[in-house]
Amino acid sequence: RRRRRGPAAEGSSPRDGGSMRCQVSVLYFARSAELAGLRCETLSVPREITSLQLWEEIVKVHPRLALIRDQVIFAVRQEYVLLGDQLLVLQPGDEVAIIPPISGG
Amino acid sequence: MEESEDVPKDFIKLKSEKLSVDEVSELVISPYCGAVSLFIGTTRNNFEGKKVIHLEYEAYTSMAETEIKKICRDIRQKWPSVKHIAVHHRLGAVPITEASVIIAVSSPHRAESLEAVMYCINTLKASVPIWKKEIYEDESSWKENKECFWANSEK
């Protein structure tokens, strides 16, 4: 029953064509939560996407986030990812966090 | 009553209540260790001439705990004689002069625990997803650690 359709296709529906999307949990912290006006939400995004493209998807929903574009990185499944060309393969329910510059300690 | 081997343990806690130096240092005490080294991060009352009323901390809690666990693993690789490690970080509102973070490390001899404590706070500031906001009289400001590699160095 396994369909070999490419790296992101595990457990997917038969539909494909390179535009498969999935629901991810987006978490906002610190300044990004203030700019977005919320702390978490579910967004539908392409399953295969670069980190920069993912940022652009999120900014479409919350344009004020563009203000901090040069200062943030992501945490995808709790691993830091710079905004750039890195290809992400997302699974339904993955956590994607916007990480402004940290100041713990 | 026989003593256990005192298996090395990591004690990691993010909490909104006031931190206790006694509690954190007691966590790492071991009959095999002659040294307990401690770091306490406290909150200052001023920044660039502005009076800080209080601070607020927030965290990506699950990832922060995971990152602190990674730091503990690194510590044990670099200083294998380290016995116990405790990291307590406060979240929410923290009044001035109260502790925001306490780190305690025990080891048989003092050099390792002293070095491990310094490594721990330096790495925490570079990698653990916790944010501090300073509340002044008229405004507030999210701080950025200079250790954070993705922060803008110029404002």
Side-chain angles (χ1 to χ4, degrees):
Chain A
R1 198 171 314 192
R2 181 168 300 167
R3 294 170 202 276
R4 292 170 48 103
R5 288 185 188 270
E10 272 188 287
S12 62
S13 72
R15 201 165 58 88
D16 96 327
S19 61
M20 283 184 347
R21 298 177 80 86
C22 67
Q23 309 262 64
V24 297
S25 294
V26 184
L27 308 178
Y28 302 90
F29 292 98
R31 185 99 202 279
S32 71
E34 290 174 347
L35 289 170
L38 77 175
R39 296 205 156 265
C40 65
E41 64 184 339
T42 304
L43 289 182
S44 170
V45 295
R47 292 184 86 149
E48 286 188 31
I49 188 173
T50 68
S51 55
L52 184 56
Q53 285 166 343
L54 178 59
W55 172 256
E56 283 156 6
E57 293 271 325
I58 293 170
V59 172
K60 275 186 215 158
V61 183
H62 303 287
R64 290 175 66 201
L65 286 174
L67 286 170
I68 54 172
R69 184 235 179 281
D70 290 339
Q71 293 153 52
V72 298
I73 64 174
F74 280 127
V76 179
R77 296 184 294 266
Q78 301 196 1
E79 297 286 343
Y80 291 124
V81 177
L82 291 170
L83 267 53
D85 295 334
Q86 184 171 337
L87 185 68
L88 305 172
V89 178
L90 298 170
Q91 308 291 339
D94 273 353
E95 267 185 9
V96 171
I98 315 293
I99 308 280
I102 57 179
S103 39
Chain B
M1 187 170 341
E2 62 179 31
E3 267 184 16
S4 69
E5 281 176 12
D6 211 9
V7 175
K9 291 189 213 69
D10 302 332
F11 301 94
I12 299 166
K13 198 179 257 192
L14 306 180
K15 58 193 256 193
S16 52
E17 298 81 30
K18 192 169 175 180
L19 302 183
S20 161
V21 173
D22 280 349
E23 179 190 335
V24 178
S25 45
E26 272 163 38
L27 286 169
V28 304
I29 283 174
S30 160
Y32 299 90
C33 293
V36 172
S37 298
L38 214 49
F39 172 80
I40 306 164
T42 57
T43 53
R44 282 184 287 150
N45 66 0
N46 72 88
F47 177 73
E48 286 178 356
K50 289 180 284 208
K51 184 176 158 199
V52 179
I53 309 296
H54 72 266
L55 292 94
E56 289 172 6
Y57 284 89
E58 69 177 69
Y60 183 2
T61 316
S62 52
M63 186 176 174
E65 287 171 358
T66 304
E67 289 296 311
I68 297 172
K69 278 192 199 121
K70 285 184 195 169
I71 295 173
C72 293
R73 269 205 305 274
D74 286 351
I75 285 172
R76 294 182 185 293
Q77 270 190 318
K78 291 172 184 297
W79 297 281
S81 68
V82 158
K83 182 62 92 173
H84 303 305
I85 305 168
V87 180
H88 281 203
H89 202 298
R90 196 156 170 196
L91 299 180
V94 182
I96 301 301
T97 73
E98 290 190 16
S100 48
V101 63
I102 302 177
I103 297 169
V105 178
S106 57
S107 59
H109 305 286
R110 68 185 181 280
E112 290 80 4
S113 66
L114 283 167
E115 288 171 28
V117 163
M118 179 155 72
Y119 174 85
C120 190
I121 183 61
N122 289 347
T123 312
L124 185 153
K125 283 180 167 290
S127 69
V128 176
I130 295 175
W131 296 270
K132 171 172 82 175
K133 187 175 186 180
E134 284 180 349
I135 314 298
Y136 313 113
E137 282 163 325
D138 297 326
E139 48 176 328
S140 61
S141 166
W142 289 103
K143 306 311 295 176
E144 300 179 1
N145 289 344
K146 64 183 192 313
E147 295 84 352
C148 173
F149 69 85
W150 63 93
N152 269 347
S153 47
E154 51 158 325
K155 274 201 129 111

